[in-house]
Amino acid sequence: MSEQNTKVAEPNPRATEHGRPVRANPLHAFLRGSAGRNLGLVIALALLLVVGAITSGDRFLNLENMLTILRYASIIGVVSIGVTFVITAGGIDLSVGSVIGLTTVVASLTSVQMAAAQSSWLLMVIVALAVGAAAGLVNGVLIAYGKVVAFIATLAMLIGARGLAELISGRRTQVVSNRDFLEVLRADLLGVPILVWIFAVVAAGGWFLLNRTTFGRRTIAIGGNLEASRLAGIKVRRHLVYLYVLAGFTAGIGGIMYLGRTTAGTSTHGLLVELDVIAAVVVGGTLLVGGRGTIMGTVLGVLIFSTLINVFTQNNLDTSIQALARALILVGAVLLQQRFAAQGPRRRLKNAVRTDAAAAN
């Protein structure tokens, strides 16, 4: 049998059924697209705002509470942007929470703060970013060149970074005394906290990097088919290292934001943040199996979780109920992902069969 007869036909938009053209449903196509998925997230966020307004009234709707939601979302959001790239490429990073704790401890060391006082507060920022990027580099090298499974490598970093932070700090909280550093990170710009502006800038940069650059296209290609990407000439191992360095770098930014918000560095900063980050990324529409990522979806996912927590807090609901609700949302998002991922191949096969049948007639 010739190769032409054995090859599965690609979906044909002009395929016919019983001699008539088969037209795709525009509404269905829109809902399955990125715009449709983001619209669903926007509706979910709007419903949460309505629930908050009904149950808490002015306490929820006032400007200060809205800024509180954004402040909480900003740190998780920045770290989520980096992890979005890793998951889009089919990886995972469980270590970002511990890396945050390590960066806050190292950046708030007395020696670092003294050096910053003699030079510039930016030294503390550089140290935090360098520590985060270094942790990501270790993850990336272990995964890409050491062939260690991403789950195991980042789990080891989760444990190791937290332990190293405890050893360096002696399990003591280190107070940030650099006033210039605190004044910058605790300031407002146009009435909006600087932490929220940092989140906005990182999100915009992440969107541009994923959607408008070769780096982003390669990330999606690796998540879709790693071996095909390698055969196409993409330096897969080097690119994976870059992705984990990026995730560590955003965790370093998160550590800086923690220092500005709490005015202290401690090994407990970032505890279990990785769970909130992964949940926000998955709820936002990035596929856990890789091949599809969305920065806008991640931003909306972060806002949904931060608003949900605020609504629960405003109504004095038990933290156990909060944890249960977040878990149910995460499970529901994963189930929806699996359903849509399974529908795609079935629909392509059905279209291919219709095309072959039309050609035979």
Side-chain angles (χ1 to χ4, degrees):
M1 184 177 292
S2 66
E3 181 182 357
Q4 183 178 3
N5 292 332
T6 58
K7 184 179 179 180
V8 177
E10 293 294 327
N12 183 358
R14 297 183 181 275
T16 60
E17 184 177 15
H18 303 301
R20 295 191 303 269
V22 178
R23 296 182 179 179
N25 188 330
L27 178 60
H28 190 269
F30 171 79
L31 292 176
R32 285 184 56 81
S34 59
R37 290 190 295 269
N38 289 339
L39 178 61
L41 294 172
V42 170
I43 293 173
L45 179 60
L47 289 176
L48 279 176
L49 293 173
V50 170
V51 171
I54 293 174
T55 58
S56 302
D58 293 338
R59 287 188 296 115
F60 178 81
L61 291 176
N62 68 72
L63 178 60
E64 185 57 38
N65 187 59
M66 293 294 106
L67 292 177
T68 298
I69 294 174
L70 292 176
R71 285 192 197 96
Y72 179 84
S74 61
I75 299 178
I76 304 297
V78 164
V79 183
S80 297
I81 299 301
V83 174
T84 298
F85 281 85
V86 171
I87 296 180
T88 299
I92 195 72
D93 194 342
L94 302 176
S95 66
V96 288
S98 295
V99 172
I100 287 174
L102 179 61
T103 59
T104 64
V105 166
V106 177
S108 61
L109 286 173
T110 303
S111 57
V112 175
Q113 293 199 61
M114 288 180 62
Q118 296 173 0
S119 56
S120 170
W121 60 271
L122 289 173
L123 178 62
M124 296 176 63
V125 174
I126 294 172
V127 168
L129 296 178
V131 170
L137 178 63
V138 172
N139 282 335
V141 170
L142 286 175
I143 294 165
Y145 293 96
K147 303 299 182 182
V148 180
V149 177
F151 180 88
I152 299 300
T154 57
L155 180 62
M157 179 60 71
L158 179 151
I159 300 169
R162 189 76 65 187
L164 182 59
E166 291 176 351
L167 287 174
I168 293 174
S169 65
R171 302 197 178 199
R172 293 191 298 270
T173 299
Q174 300 172 168
V175 178
V176 177
S177 58
N178 191 301
R179 306 314 306 174
D180 293 336
F181 177 85
L182 294 178
E183 286 177 4
V184 170
L185 288 176
R186 296 171 72 86
D188 290 347
L189 179 61
L190 302 178
V192 179
I194 199 69
L195 297 183
V196 178
W197 284 109
I198 293 174
F199 177 30
V201 170
V202 172
W207 180 89
F208 180 82
L209 188 62
L210 184 63
N211 296 284
R212 293 292 184 267
T213 67
T214 302
F215 184 90
R217 289 191 290 272
R218 289 175 177 172
T219 300
I220 296 171
I222 290 172
N225 193 320
L226 188 146
E227 184 60 22
S229 299
R230 185 186 67 81
L231 294 175
I234 298 176
K235 299 185 184 300
V236 172
R237 290 189 294 183
R238 187 171 67 183
H239 194 87
L240 288 175
V241 173
Y242 291 159
L243 291 175
Y244 283 96
V245 169
L246 177 61
F249 187 82
T250 55
I253 298 176
I256 296 168
M257 297 168 76
Y258 259 103
L259 285 176
R261 184 179 179 184
T262 64
T263 71
T266 173
S267 59
T268 59
H269 277 333
L271 190 63
L272 299 181
V273 158
E274 58 275 356
L275 302 183
D276 290 335
V277 166
I278 294 172
V281 173
V282 172
V283 168
T286 297
L287 288 180
L288 274 173
V289 295
R292 188 184 79 198
T294 163
I295 298 298
M296 182 58 68
T298 294
V299 171
L300 291 172
V302 171
L303 292 176
I304 285 172
F305 274 110
S306 60
T307 304
L308 179 67
I309 291 172
N310 187 268
V311 170
F312 284 154
T313 302
Q314 291 283 344
N315 289 279
N316 297 319
L317 293 179
D318 190 87
T319 55
S320 300
I321 298 177
Q322 296 183 30
L324 180 60
R326 291 155 72 184
L328 291 175
I329 292 174
L330 178 59
V331 171
V334 173
L335 289 175
L336 285 174
Q337 281 194 5
Q338 291 177 342
R339 179 180 178 185
F340 288 139
Q343 284 180 348
R346 287 200 300 267
R347 184 173 291 105
R348 286 193 294 270
L349 180 60
K350 185 183 295 184
N351 288 338
V353 171
R354 287 174 176 173
T355 303
D356 289 342
N361 292 334

